[in-house]
Amino acid sequence: MTTGYLTVANAGTSGSVSGGIMAQQRRGRSPKVGGGGGQATMISSNINLLNTIIGAGTLAMPLALSHFGVMLGVLLILWCGLTSAFGLYLQSRCARYIDRGSSSFFALSQMTYPNAAVVFDAAIAIKCFGVGVSYMIIIGDLMPGVAEAFGSQATGLAFLEDRKFWITAFFLVFIIPLSFPKRLDSLKYTSIVALLSIGYLVILVVYNFGAGSFPPRTDIRLITWEGPVAALSSLPVIIFAYTCHQNMFSILNEIKDNSPGSIVGVIGSSIGSAASVYILVAITGYLTFGSDVEGNIVGMYPASIASTIAKAAIVILVTFSIPLQIHPCRASIDAVLRWRPGKATVQVQTGNSGRASPAHNQPLLPSSSAPSSLDSHGAPVAAISELRFALITAAILVFSYMTALNVSSLDRVLAYVGSTGSTAISFILPGLFYYKISDPASIHHQRLTKEDDDADFSNSDNDEEDDDDEPSMFESVHSLRSAASAVSAVSRWRWRRKWRWDMEHIEAELLRKMSLLLAAYGGCVMVVCLVMNTFFTAAPH
């Protein structure tokens, strides 16, 4: 039986084919207990997920396109968006096995691979560390241009044009003070600044291309590519640009309408919007600068009011986003250091529905009203001393700072992060988790199937109660006259079920095979891209 599938009542037992169809339309999934329902609308969920997707990867998209060529590059951007969307969809399917409002990677790992929690924590730590480093690199790339626009050359202070000076200044003045507080609630308002900054960046890139501010380029590759080494080395940059899977369970926990159609709508609109932005920026940026395009597109525009505003906006965005990366990175490193093989960190509770779930729901960012027993991705929080907290935070900051000073290529950082953390979170973990939890022999799958059967049986009983009265002669004659149209309605309904936009038509076994292929695809991408970036790509100059 396919999970979540709805069946038409048999005409011989329900008394009416058309009545069975109407009853089918009224049926839904059995209500989930535990954690309560969410309050977020589809629009707010879409904005939150889109804000998680679009970020620093947008700046490096034109360079990635230059390695693949326009045609192949656009196809690859669409392909990476499709595979990332499938990983998000698998996460939503996994959430059906967990009580409403309690979905998390940790809960899934306890139900499937208890010792895999350390893998998830390591992937999160790698990704967050790499993103923090990339943000510091962006500060070093853009601030000299901002200072130049304000007349730094006239002052004779040469250090104002040094990227290392600006990284150090922002590190000491902003990043360190913002990284040590344990609660980061106030930083969630930077989402508005983030979307406005990216929107302004898109306008800047498209405007400069349309206005012909730069001479036409003749070194544009439309169909050909630079070669397999350069192309595969840039593939993780595109994968990184779509990574938002660490926040997907928070979206699922908080959305009010968690029906399959609603979830697919949020995933499709978010990934589709991000893909449109990436293709637009990639094509216009590449056509503007040709093969001379760099890993940070906004840093290539000459000093002007428009470009200075864009650079300053991006700098503000990444400065206040770095602490948001330090926070989960610290929690994940602490979990990795505490992990011991063969020991589960907590026993997952079982609610009335029989589904495994943590005791409480935890939002993406801890708040004063949130329970203190779980961390930002659903794992139980072990008491951490002030000394341990300070040491881990200091270690993350120091290593991030040293890496940002010695690595000036943004695309190389994004390539390594995309090869490791992004592929693990986007492809490998969702694929393996769903393949394991949806096994027909799994107790979790059997319980979920039984709940769906019970819900359908209950709805069938309600339908039979409505039909207790004997039909009149007129009703019997009328039902005979409409028999042909009823059979035709069933045929049309079955045809529509061959393809449903909420993806509920996919057979369970086929979906399990596809999830395993996604995990294998992620593993191959990780190995190939790591080898290419480590041994075959020339060091940046």
Side-chain angles (χ1 to χ4, degrees):
M1 175 181 177
T2 303
T3 304
Y5 247 55
L6 304 175
T7 57
V8 181
N10 185 282
T13 59
S14 65
S16 172
V17 175
S18 59
I21 297 176
M22 296 300 296
Q24 166 62 27
Q25 294 176 350
R26 294 193 301 268
R27 292 177 188 173
R29 295 188 53 78
S30 55
K32 299 180 181 182
V33 300
Q39 299 298 324
T41 64
M42 282 190 62
I43 296 178
S44 63
S45 299
N46 184 24
I47 292 175
N48 290 334
L49 193 60
L50 181 61
N51 182 45
T52 307
I53 298 173
I54 299 181
T58 311
L59 305 177
M61 203 59 66
L63 177 61
L65 187 72
S66 69
H67 295 316
F68 287 97
V70 175
M71 181 176 295
L72 182 59
V74 170
L75 292 177
L76 193 64
I77 292 175
L78 294 175
W79 167 254
C80 290
L82 180 63
T83 52
S84 294
F86 184 55
L88 294 172
Y89 176 70
L90 290 181
Q91 289 183 246
S92 70
R93 294 293 292 245
C94 289
R96 300 182 183 183
Y97 295 86
I98 306 175
D99 286 341
R100 177 77 161 112
S102 302
S103 304
S104 69
F105 272 108
F106 177 80
L108 279 177
S109 67
Q110 293 299 302
M111 297 169 65
T112 53
Y113 309 98
N115 288 329
V118 67
V119 178
F120 167 67
D121 283 312
I124 285 290
I126 293 173
K127 180 184 182 298
C128 293
F129 176 83
V131 173
V133 171
S134 68
Y135 286 167
M136 292 186 190
I137 293 176
I138 291 174
I139 293 174
D141 289 344
L142 298 183
M143 278 308 299
V146 175
E148 180 182 355
F150 284 94
S152 61
Q153 292 181 341
T155 62
L157 302 177
F159 63 86
L160 293 178
E161 300 179 7
D162 186 4
R163 61 180 298 274
K164 294 184 179 181
F165 165 77
W166 288 110
I167 293 176
T168 304
F170 274 76
F171 180 76
L172 296 176
V173 177
F174 297 105
I175 298 174
I176 290 180
L178 292 174
S179 299
F180 276 92
K182 294 185 178 181
R183 300 195 179 277
L184 304 175
D185 292 4
S186 60
L187 295 180
K188 60 188 176 184
Y189 298 107
T190 59
S191 296
I192 300 177
V193 179
L195 292 178
L196 291 176
S197 301
I198 296 298
Y200 187 83
L201 169 65
V202 174
I203 295 175
L204 176 69
V205 175
V206 174
Y207 172 78
N208 279 277
F209 168 73
S213 304
F214 298 88
R217 305 295 303 223
T218 59
D219 55 347
I220 302 296
R221 285 186 289 266
L222 296 177
I223 300 177
T224 60
W225 64 343
E226 185 175 343
V229 174
L232 291 176
S233 299
S234 297
L235 174 60
V237 176
I238 305 178
I239 295 175
F240 169 86
Y242 283 106
T243 304
C244 60
H245 301 65
Q246 68 273 16
N247 291 350
M248 183 59 188
F249 283 124
S250 295
I251 300 295
L252 296 173
N253 291 336
E254 297 169 8
I255 191 171
K256 185 176 183 179
D257 179 10
N258 70 327
S259 62
S262 175
I263 299 302
V264 171
V266 171
I267 295 174
S269 58
S270 301
I271 294 292
S273 300
S276 301
V277 171
Y278 292 154
I279 291 175
L280 183 61
V281 172
I283 293 179
T284 54
Y286 175 49
L287 295 180
T288 301
F289 296 103
S291 59
D292 294 332
V293 68
E294 299 176 358
N296 188 346
I297 182 67
V298 74
M300 299 190 65
Y301 294 102
S304 66
I305 296 177
S307 63
T308 301
I309 293 175
K311 294 173 184 177
I314 296 295
V315 167
I316 294 174
L317 162 65
V318 300
T319 299
F320 288 99
S321 298
I322 290 175
L324 294 179
Q325 304 298 326
I326 300 295
H327 185 76
C329 183
R330 177 176 53 230
S332 298
I333 291 178
D334 181 60
V336 170
L337 294 176
R338 293 178 184 274
W339 178 78
R340 298 295 182 272
K343 295 182 180 180
T345 56
V346 70
Q347 293 296 325
V348 179
Q349 296 182 355
T350 302
N352 295 332
S353 66
R355 300 177 186 175
S357 65
H360 302 284
N361 174 32
Q362 179 74 357
L364 178 61
L365 290 179
S367 62
S368 57
S369 60
S372 59
S373 58
L374 301 175
D375 67 12
S376 59
H377 48 271
V381 174
I384 179 172
S385 64
E386 295 293 336
L387 178 61
R388 185 183 182 91
F389 179 90
L391 289 177
I392 295 178
T393 305
I396 296 173
L397 290 173
V398 170
F399 280 109
S400 300
Y401 172 70
M402 297 301 297
T403 305
L405 289 182
N406 292 282
V407 179
S408 59
S409 178
L410 176 63
D411 60 298
R412 290 298 300 276
V413 174
L414 299 185
Y416 278 108
V417 177
S419 300
T420 53
S422 294
T423 53
I425 297 172
S426 303
F427 308 138
I428 299 176
L429 289 178
L432 291 180
F433 280 144
Y434 182 78
Y435 183 80
K436 179 70 173 181
I437 202 172
S438 63
D439 187 346
S442 167
I443 184 63
H444 306 295
H445 182 75
Q446 294 173 2
R447 285 172 175 169
L448 180 61
T449 303
K450 182 179 182 300
E451 289 176 20
D452 291 335
D453 291 342
D454 291 344
D456 289 343
F457 181 76
S458 176
N459 287 327
S460 298
D461 288 344
N462 294 335
D463 295 338
E464 291 176 1
E465 290 177 2
D466 295 338
D467 296 335
D468 281 344
D469 295 335
E470 290 293 332
S472 63
M473 181 64 67
F474 172 79
E475 292 172 339
S476 299
V477 173
H478 179 73
S479 63
L480 289 175
R481 290 177 177 177
S482 61
S485 61
V487 173
S488 177
V490 171
S491 300
R492 290 194 302 270
W493 183 82
R494 287 176 177 173
W495 180 86
R496 286 196 299 268
R497 284 188 59 194
K498 293 180 180 179
W499 173 261
R500 294 176 51 172
W501 74 279
D502 59 4
M503 309 302 291
E504 291 299 293
H505 64 282
I506 303 179
E507 295 291 340
E509 188 58 32
L510 175 61
L511 192 60
R512 292 190 71 235
K513 294 178 180 178
M514 293 172 64
S515 67
L516 191 60
L517 286 176
L518 182 69
Y521 166 75
C524 293
V525 169
M526 177 183 292
V527 172
V528 172
C529 292
L530 275 177
V531 170
M532 288 294 178
N533 280 284
T534 303
F535 299 105
F536 295 97
T537 302
H541 51 80

